[in-house]
Coordinates of all heavy atoms in Angstrom, one line a residue:
S1 N -17.8 5.5 7.7 CA -17.2 6.2 8.8 C -15.7 6.3 8.6 O -15.0 6.1 9.6 CB -17.5 5.6 10.1 OG -18.9 5.5 10.3
V2 N -15.2 6.5 7.4 CA -13.8 6.8 7.2 C -13.3 8.0 7.7 O -13.9 9.1 7.5 CB -13.6 6.6 5.5 CG1 -12.1 6.8 5.3 CG2 -14.0 5.2 5.1
M3 N -12.1 8.1 8.2 CA -11.5 9.2 8.8 C -10.0 9.2 8.5 O -9.4 8.2 8.5 CB -11.7 9.3 10.3 CG -13.1 9.5 10.8 SD -13.3 9.8 12.6 CE -12.7 8.2 13.3
Y4 N -9.5 10.4 8.2 CA -8.0 10.5 8.0 C -7.5 11.7 8.7 O -8.2 12.7 8.9 CB -7.8 10.7 6.4 CG -8.2 9.6 5.5 CD1 -9.4 9.6 4.8 CD2 -7.4 8.4 5.3 CE1 -9.7 8.7 4.0 CE2 -7.7 7.6 4.5 CZ -8.9 7.6 3.7 OH -9.3 6.6 3.0
V5 N -6.3 11.6 9.1 CA -5.6 12.7 9.6 C -5.4 13.7 8.5 O -5.1 13.3 7.3 CB -4.2 12.3 10.3 CG1 -3.3 11.8 9.4 CG2 -3.7 13.5 11.1
E6 N -5.4 15.0 8.7 CA -5.2 16.0 7.7 C -4.0 15.8 6.8 O -4.0 15.9 5.6 CB -5.2 17.3 8.3 CG -5.2 18.5 7.2 CD -5.2 19.9 7.8 OE1 -5.3 19.9 9.1 OE2 -5.2 20.8 7.1
S7 N -3.0 15.4 7.4 CA -1.7 15.3 6.6 C -1.6 14.2 5.6 O -0.7 14.2 4.7 CB -0.5 15.0 7.7 OG -0.7 13.9 8.4
V8 N -2.6 13.2 5.7 CA -2.5 12.1 4.7 C -3.8 12.2 3.7 O -3.9 11.4 2.8 CB -2.4 10.8 5.3 CG1 -1.2 10.8 6.3 CG2 -3.6 10.4 6.0
K9 N -4.7 13.1 4.0 CA -5.9 13.1 3.3 C -5.6 13.4 1.8 O -4.9 14.4 1.5 CB -6.9 14.2 3.8 CG -8.2 14.1 3.2 CD -9.2 15.1 4.1 CE -10.7 15.0 3.5 NZ -11.6 15.8 4.3
G10 N -6.2 12.7 1.0 CA -6.0 12.8 -0.5 C -4.7 12.0 -0.9 O -4.7 11.7 -2.2
R11 N -4.0 11.4 -0.1 CA -2.9 10.6 -0.5 C -3.0 9.1 0.0 O -2.6 8.3 -0.7 CB -1.6 11.1 0.1 CG -1.2 12.5 -0.4 CD 0.2 12.9 0.0 NE 0.3 13.0 1.5 CZ 1.1 12.2 2.2 NH1 1.9 11.3 1.5 NH2 1.2 12.3 3.6
F12 N -3.7 8.9 1.1 CA -3.8 7.6 1.8 C -5.2 7.1 1.6 O -6.2 7.9 1.6 CB -3.5 7.5 3.2 CG -2.0 7.7 3.4 CD1 -1.1 8.1 2.5 CD2 -1.5 7.4 4.7 CE1 0.3 8.2 2.7 CE2 -0.1 7.6 5.1 CZ 0.7 8.0 4.0
T13 N -5.4 5.8 1.4 CA -6.8 5.3 1.3 C -7.0 4.0 2.2 O -6.2 3.1 2.0 CB -7.2 5.0 -0.2 OG1 -7.2 6.1 -1.1 CG2 -8.6 4.4 -0.3
I14 N -7.8 4.0 3.1 CA -8.0 2.9 3.9 C -9.1 2.0 3.4 O -10.2 2.6 2.9 CB -8.3 3.3 5.4 CG1 -8.3 2.1 6.3 CG2 -9.7 4.0 5.5 CD1 -8.4 2.4 7.8
S15 N -9.2 0.8 3.4 CA -10.1 -0.1 3.0 C -10.1 -1.5 3.7 O -9.1 -1.6 4.4 CB -10.0 -0.4 1.4 OG -8.8 -1.0 1.1
R16 N -11.2 -2.2 3.5 CA -11.2 -3.5 4.3 C -12.0 -4.5 3.5 O -12.8 -4.2 2.7 CB -11.8 -3.3 5.7 CG -13.3 -3.0 5.8 CD -13.8 -2.6 7.1 NE -13.6 -3.7 8.0 CZ -13.7 -3.6 9.4 NH1 -14.0 -2.4 9.8 NH2 -13.7 -4.7 10.1
D17 N -11.6 -5.8 3.7 CA -12.3 -6.9 3.1 C -12.7 -7.8 4.2 O -11.6 -8.6 4.8 CB -11.3 -7.5 2.0 CG -12.0 -8.7 1.3 OD1 -13.0 -9.2 1.8 OD2 -11.5 -9.0 0.2
N18 N -13.8 -7.8 4.7 CA -14.2 -8.6 5.8 C -14.1 -10.1 5.6 O -13.9 -10.9 6.4 CB -15.6 -8.1 6.3 CG -15.8 -6.8 6.9 OD1 -14.6 -6.3 7.4 ND2 -16.8 -6.2 7.0
A19 N -14.4 -10.4 4.3 CA -14.3 -11.9 4.0 C -12.9 -12.5 4.1 O -12.7 -13.6 4.3 CB -14.8 -12.0 2.5
K20 N -11.8 -11.6 4.0 CA -10.5 -12.0 4.2 C -9.9 -11.5 5.5 O -8.7 -11.7 5.9 CB -9.6 -11.3 3.1 CG -9.9 -11.8 1.7 CD -9.1 -11.2 0.6 CE -9.4 -11.8 -0.7 NZ -8.5 -11.1 -1.8
N21 N -10.9 -10.9 6.3 CA -10.3 -10.4 7.6 C -9.1 -9.6 7.6 O -8.1 -9.7 8.3 CB -10.1 -11.5 8.6 CG -11.3 -12.2 9.3 OD1 -12.4 -11.8 8.9 ND2 -11.1 -13.0 10.3
T22 N -9.1 -8.7 6.6 CA -8.0 -7.8 6.2 C -8.3 -6.3 6.1 O -9.4 -6.0 5.5 CB -7.2 -8.3 5.1 OG1 -6.9 -9.7 5.2 CG2 -6.0 -7.4 4.7
V23 N -7.5 -5.5 6.6 CA -7.7 -4.0 6.4 C -6.4 -3.6 5.7 O -5.4 -4.1 6.0 CB -7.9 -3.2 7.7 CG1 -6.7 -3.5 8.6 CG2 -8.2 -1.8 7.4
Y24 N -6.6 -2.6 4.8 CA -5.5 -2.2 4.0 C -5.3 -0.7 4.1 O -6.2 0.1 4.5 CB -5.8 -2.4 2.5 CG -6.0 -3.9 2.2 CD1 -7.4 -4.3 2.0 CD2 -5.0 -4.7 2.0 CE1 -7.6 -5.6 1.8 CE2 -5.3 -6.1 1.6 CZ -6.6 -6.5 1.5 OH -6.8 -7.8 1.2
L25 N -4.1 -0.2 3.9 CA -3.7 1.2 3.9 C -2.9 1.4 2.6 O -1.9 1.1 2.6 CB -3.0 1.7 5.1 CG -2.8 3.2 5.1 CD1 -4.1 3.9 5.4 CD2 -1.9 3.6 6.3
Q26 N -3.6 2.1 1.6 CA -2.9 2.3 0.3 C -2.3 3.7 0.6 O -3.1 4.7 0.8 CB -3.9 2.3 -0.8 CG -3.3 2.8 -2.1 CD -2.2 1.7 -2.6 OE1 -2.4 0.6 -2.6 NE2 -1.1 2.3 -3.2
M27 N -1.1 3.8 0.3 CA -0.3 5.1 0.5 C 0.3 5.6 -0.8 O 1.2 4.8 -1.3 CB 0.8 4.9 1.6 CG 0.2 4.4 3.0 SD 1.5 4.3 4.2 CE 2.5 2.9 3.6
D28 N -0.2 6.6 -1.3 CA 0.4 7.2 -2.5 C 1.1 8.5 -2.3 O 0.9 9.1 -1.2 CB -0.8 7.3 -3.5 CG -1.4 6.1 -3.9 OD1 -0.8 5.0 -4.0 OD2 -2.6 6.2 -4.1
R29 N 2.0 8.9 -3.2 CA 2.7 10.1 -3.1 C 3.4 10.3 -1.8 O 3.2 11.4 -1.0 CB 1.8 11.4 -3.5 CG 1.1 11.1 -4.9 CD 0.4 12.5 -5.3 NE -0.7 12.9 -4.4 CZ -1.8 12.2 -4.4 NH1 -2.2 11.2 -5.3 NH2 -2.7 12.7 -3.6
L30 N 4.0 9.2 -1.3 CA 4.7 9.2 0.0 C 5.8 10.4 0.1 O 6.4 10.7 -0.8 CB 5.3 7.9 0.2 CG 4.3 6.7 0.6 CD1 4.9 5.4 0.4 CD2 3.9 6.9 2.1
K31 N 5.9 10.8 1.3 CA 6.6 11.9 1.7 C 7.6 11.4 2.7 O 7.3 10.5 3.6 CB 6.0 13.1 2.1 CG 5.0 13.8 1.2 CD 4.2 14.8 1.9 CE 3.2 15.4 0.9 NZ 2.4 16.6 1.6
P32 N 8.8 11.9 2.9 CA 9.8 11.6 4.0 C 9.1 11.6 5.4 O 9.5 10.8 6.3 CB 10.9 12.6 3.8 CG 10.9 12.8 2.4 CD 9.5 12.9 1.9
E33 N 8.3 12.6 5.6 CA 7.6 12.7 6.8 C 6.6 11.7 7.1 O 6.0 11.6 8.3 CB 6.9 14.1 7.0 CG 6.1 14.5 5.8 CD 6.8 15.4 4.8 OE1 7.9 15.2 4.4 OE2 6.1 16.5 4.4
D34 N 6.4 10.8 6.2 CA 5.5 9.7 6.4 C 6.3 8.5 7.1 O 5.7 7.5 7.5 CB 4.9 9.1 5.1 CG 4.0 10.1 4.5 OD1 3.1 10.7 5.3 OD2 3.9 10.4 3.3
T35 N 7.5 8.7 7.1 CA 8.4 7.6 7.8 C 8.1 7.4 9.2 O 8.0 8.3 10.0 CB 10.0 8.0 7.7 OG1 10.3 8.2 6.2 CG2 10.8 7.0 8.5
A36 N 7.8 6.1 9.5 CA 7.2 5.7 10.9 C 7.0 4.3 10.9 O 7.0 3.6 9.9 CB 6.0 6.5 11.2
V37 N 6.8 3.8 12.1 CA 6.3 2.4 12.3 C 4.7 2.5 12.2 O 4.1 3.4 12.9 CB 6.7 1.8 13.6 CG1 6.1 0.4 13.7 CG2 8.2 1.7 13.7
Y38 N 4.1 1.8 11.4 CA 2.7 1.9 11.2 C 2.0 0.6 11.9 O 2.3 -0.5 11.8 CB 2.2 1.8 9.7 CG 2.5 3.2 9.0 CD1 3.8 3.6 8.8 CD2 1.4 3.9 8.7 CE1 4.0 4.9 8.3 CE2 1.7 5.1 8.1 CZ 2.9 5.6 7.9 OH 3.1 6.8 7.3
Y39 N 1.1 0.9 12.7 CA 0.3 0.0 13.6 C -1.1 -0.1 13.1 O -1.8 0.9 12.8 CB 0.3 0.4 14.9 CG 1.7 0.4 15.5 CD1 2.4 1.7 15.6 CD2 2.3 -0.7 16.2 CE1 3.7 1.7 16.1 CE2 3.7 -0.6 16.8 CZ 4.3 0.6 16.8 OH 5.5 0.7 17.5
C40 N -1.6 -1.4 13.1 CA -3.0 -1.7 12.8 C -3.7 -2.0 14.3 O -3.1 -2.4 15.1 CB -3.2 -2.9 12.0 SG -4.8 -3.5 11.8
A41 N -4.8 -1.5 14.4 CA -5.6 -1.5 15.6 C -7.0 -1.7 15.5 O -7.6 -1.2 14.5 CB -5.3 -0.3 16.5
A42 N -7.8 -2.2 16.4 CA -9.2 -2.5 16.4 C -9.9 -1.9 17.6 O -9.3 -2.0 18.7 CB -9.5 -3.9 16.4
A43 N -11.0 -1.2 17.4 CA -11.8 -0.6 18.4 C -13.2 -1.1 18.3 O -13.7 -1.5 17.2 CB -11.7 0.9 18.3
S44 N -14.0 -0.8 19.3 CA -15.5 -1.2 19.4 C -16.3 -0.1 19.0 O -17.5 -0.3 18.9 CB -15.8 -1.7 20.7 OG -15.0 -2.9 21.1
V45 N -15.8 1.1 18.8 CA -16.6 2.3 18.3 C -15.9 3.0 17.4 O -14.7 2.8 17.1 CB -16.8 3.1 19.6 CG1 -17.6 2.5 20.8 CG2 -15.6 3.7 20.2

C-alpha cells in the first residue's frame, strides 16, 4: 500500500523494517522545492 505525492514519485522511496521499528525515506535527486521540515507519522488505516 505504498503511496507518494506526485511531486516526489520516482525520486523518493519509502520503506520500513519492522524488526527495527524504523521507517525510512530515501530521497534522491533532491530539488530546492523539497526543502521543508519532514515529519514521520503513524495511522491506523
Side-chain angles (χ1 to χ4, degrees):
S1 300
V2 173
M3 296 188 291
Y4 298 98
V5 66
E6 182 180 3
S7 61
V8 310
K9 192 172 184 178
R11 297 189 298 118
F12 290 11
T13 303
I14 188 170
S15 62
R16 69 191 294 164
D17 186 340
N18 289 339
K20 296 181 178 180
N21 278 14
T22 303
V23 62
Y24 306 94
L25 185 67
Q26 177 66 44
M27 304 182 292
D28 296 324
R29 302 188 300 281
L30 283 161
K31 303 176 180 180
E33 49 262 48
D34 294 319
T35 295
V37 176
Y38 283 71
Y39 298 89
C40 176
S44 297
V45 296

